Amino acid sequence: MKKKLVTVMLASSMIATMLAGCGSDSGSGTEKSAKSSDGSVYMLNFKPETDQAWQDLAETYTDQTGVQVTVVTAADGQYKTTLKSELAKKEAPTIFNIGSTADCAEYDKYIYDLKDSEIYKHLSDKSLALEYNGKVASVANCYECYGIIYNKAILEKYCKDYSGAVIKSVDDIKDLDTLEKVAKDINDHVDDINKACGTNLTEAFASAGLDSGSNWRFSGHLAGVELYYEFKDDGCDLTAGEEKIKGTYMDNFKRVWDMYTDTSAADKATLDSGSLNAEAELGMEEAVFYQNGDWEYSAFADDNENGYTVKQDDLSMMPIYFGVDDENEGLAVGTENHWTVNAQADKKDIDATLDFLNWVITSDEGRDAITNTMGLSAPFDTFTGDYASKNGFAKVASDLVADGKTSVAWSFNATPSVDDWRADFIAPLTEYTERGGSWDDVKTAFVDKWSYYWDLSNEQ
């Protein structure tokens, strides 16, 4: 998920409720699912960047139906802490987010079986539901993809106008070997390339920030590629994982990580400073490559208003080639955003909650908010026509699948005690990168801390 610095206030007394008149037929979508109810809805929202859109939807639904809908958005990085606190209250959330089957185990008693719900029936890819303990525990409300965002316009100029280019076409980049060569060549010959191509590059890869606002891209997403190939070898569930890992592909991780940091203008000693802005480096066309996800598409959505020099149409995304099965690898596709309904809530509130969620995915207002305002790709059969995803990076993921590539599962969703494990992994990675520490320490933390937190999380 995208991490942004968003000011969010979680008042102890909840956000003031929004009540209005009776329901209306105006703006209804494929189904008339909005109906009056004695129950109420309380959503604990996971994504800070979507807070205002959900507040607006809640108000609209209340206007149409008279049903009270409260949306509270947890502060960035504080969702689990907030969820545990809120579930302990009498007026607990009726909708909350679960990221993985590990969460299902933790919150099992709160999980309402969604197998007969409309949102599950409308789910176009049932693999995007989490099943646990004989229940459809949670239904994905969006799916996302990540990889390496790149400026294809600059790469095309590089191929055409720079005589020393190591590739003839952008399409030649199909594996890690080639990507490494291109990144090194661009970084080593920035001045010559700028002169030949009329560009203003300072580096090949945007800075790989190791501060808390950026390091999830590597402790989560890059690590997830290693986990994917390891889980695939072991034949285990690709998103549920296993209690012990071996770090089979940590040398591949190192190779990719070294490429990121060796072909960037950022001083390695400053990567954890929080002073770097990789998105801006790509946006101002200082960098060609930037590892991130399709949630970044909205940052470049308006060429006239986003403050960047890059044009949205100039950007595309390629897989994080890992040197394992590059020929068949697609983008990493998945989600850690799943709607879960609180089984401990009153039946009338459960019914009201299910009605609200169905309205969100079938009404014009709900579908427009998810697709156009939040910029998400929704995995429901109701999102067609005007409500199909307009995210160009998500389209790349679909095109690669159509070409026979295999999407990389979000295997990092299996991470036990995710915040703690990532912190313990980032520490030696920072030491290695900034101060010449041992790579063996990085691999040891990756493997040993996984088992430690897995055992800790599964103690009964």
Side-chain angles (χ1 to χ4, degrees):
M1 71 172 273
K2 183 175 182 180
K3 305 286 185 182
K4 286 187 176 179
L5 295 177
V6 180
T7 301
V8 182
M9 180 174 291
L10 180 61
S12 60
S13 60
M14 299 300 177
I15 296 173
T17 57
M18 300 161 284
L19 296 174
C22 297
S24 167
D25 286 340
S26 64
S28 61
T30 58
E31 297 180 9
K32 300 287 195 296
S33 58
K35 48 183 145 181
S36 107
S37 167
D38 293 332
S40 61
V41 180
Y42 167 19
M43 169 182 275
L44 184 62
N45 178 35
F46 179 60
K47 295 172 76 69
E49 64 269 24
T50 65
D51 175 68
Q52 189 57 55
W54 280 112
Q55 300 295 346
D56 294 343
L57 275 181
E59 184 173 13
T60 299
Y61 188 75
T62 297
D63 287 345
Q64 290 187 14
T65 67
V67 175
Q68 173 186 327
V69 179
T70 299
V71 176
V72 173
T73 298
D76 196 14
Q78 297 298 315
Y79 191 82
K80 280 199 170 184
T81 301
T82 304
L83 177 59
K84 289 179 179 179
S85 173
E86 293 301 301
L87 285 176
K89 296 179 179 179
K90 182 177 180 181
E91 300 297 328
T94 62
I95 308 167
F96 60 96
N97 187 84
I98 272 181
S100 67
T101 51
D103 288 339
C104 291
E106 185 172 358
Y107 298 104
D108 187 30
K109 73 176 183 178
Y110 296 103
I111 292 173
Y112 180 84
D113 190 354
L114 295 172
K115 70 176 183 299
D116 295 324
S117 68
E118 292 301 313
I119 57 170
Y120 181 65
K121 292 175 183 176
H122 281 301
L123 191 65
S124 53
D125 181 353
K126 296 298 193 283
S127 70
L128 291 175
L130 295 177
E131 297 186 14
Y132 183 79
N133 206 13
K135 298 179 287 191
V136 175
S138 214
V139 171
N141 54 68
C142 67
Y143 65 93
E144 298 171 310
C145 63
Y146 67 87
I148 295 175
I149 302 170
Y150 66 95
N151 189 319
K152 60 185 178 184
I154 288 180
L155 280 179
E156 286 168 356
K157 288 181 182 178
Y158 165 77
C159 293
K160 179 182 177 182
D161 299 333
Y162 176 57
S163 60
V166 296
I167 53 173
K168 295 181 179 179
S169 166
V170 178
D171 294 336
D172 291 341
I173 305 177
K174 297 179 179 179
D175 51 53
L176 180 56
D177 287 342
T178 306
L179 180 58
E180 282 177 323
K181 291 175 184 176
V182 172
K184 186 177 187 307
D185 189 59
I186 290 174
N187 205 66
D188 288 350
H189 302 98
V190 161
D191 292 339
D192 292 337
I193 293 168
N194 286 338
K195 184 176 180 180
C197 302
T199 50
N200 294 291
L201 293 172
T202 62
E203 59 195 348
F205 268 89
S207 54
L210 285 168
D211 57 288
S212 60
S214 177
N215 64 31
W216 54 270
R217 294 191 286 138
F218 315 112
S219 62
H221 293 175
L222 183 57
V225 185
E226 195 286 340
L227 294 168
Y228 166 76
Y229 282 115
E230 186 163 340
F231 292 167
K232 198 172 182 181
D233 285 350
D234 293 346
C236 69
D237 186 300
L238 294 175
T239 57
E242 53 193 341
E243 62 181 326
K244 294 186 183 297
I245 60 175
K246 302 177 287 294
T248 307
Y249 297 102
M250 282 304 291
D251 286 346
N252 301 75
F253 183 109
K254 179 180 183 297
R255 187 177 164 191
V256 175
W257 177 251
D258 287 345
M259 174 180 66
Y260 289 173
T261 58
D262 288 344
T263 65
S264 171
D267 182 350
K268 291 182 182 181
T270 68
L271 291 182
D272 66 344
S273 67
S275 62
L276 302 167
N277 188 332
E279 179 188 288
E281 292 164 32
L282 182 81
M284 298 309 294
E285 299 183 283
E286 298 168 359
V288 180
F289 304 104
Y290 170 41
Q291 185 205 298
N292 216 321
D294 65 351
W295 46 87
E296 280 292 313
Y297 196 75
S298 60
F300 306 102
D302 191 330
D303 291 339
N304 297 316
E305 298 293 335
N306 60 33
Y308 293 139
T309 59
V310 71
K311 303 300 182 184
Q312 188 184 70
D313 288 345
D314 291 342
L315 297 176
S316 190
M317 188 182 286
M318 68 177 67
I320 301 175
Y321 291 120
F322 217 62
V324 181
D325 187 24
D326 294 349
E327 181 181 356
N328 297 306
E329 186 182 313
L331 299 183
V333 179
T335 187
E336 54 184 347
N337 301 282
H338 299 84
W339 283 326
T340 308
V341 174
N342 187 354
Q344 301 295 317
D346 288 343
K347 183 62 165 61
K348 63 183 180 181
D349 294 335
I350 291 175
D351 290 342
T353 295
L354 293 172
D355 288 343
F356 172 67
L357 290 177
N358 191 41
W359 175 82
V360 168
I361 68 164
T362 60
S363 68
D364 291 342
E365 297 92 337
R367 292 182 295 167
D368 180 65
I370 288 177
T371 297
N372 299 319
T373 304
M374 301 181 201
L376 301 174
S377 299
F380 302 102
D381 59 17
T382 53
F383 283 77
T384 57
D386 291 342
Y387 304 114
S389 174
K390 298 175 178 61
N391 190 305
F393 297 150
K395 184 178 184 301
V396 173
S398 299
D399 290 346
L400 287 171
V401 171
D403 288 342
K405 309 300 182 185
T406 301
S407 297
V408 172
W410 280 26
S411 295
F412 66 86
N413 277 349
T415 307
S417 298
V418 57
D419 293 336
D420 295 323
W421 182 86
R422 289 183 183 181
D424 285 349
F425 172 60
I426 282 295
L429 183 63
T430 302
E431 186 68 22
Y432 164 78
T433 307
E434 296 191 353
R435 291 173 288 278
S438 168
W439 183 256
D440 287 341
D441 291 344
V442 180
K443 183 174 179 179
T444 297
F446 188 89
V447 173
D448 292 354
K449 292 297 183 179
W450 182 280
S451 298
Y452 171 75
Y453 287 117
W454 189 286
D455 291 343
L456 201 63
S457 298
N458 287 279
E459 283 182 356
Q460 299 296 329

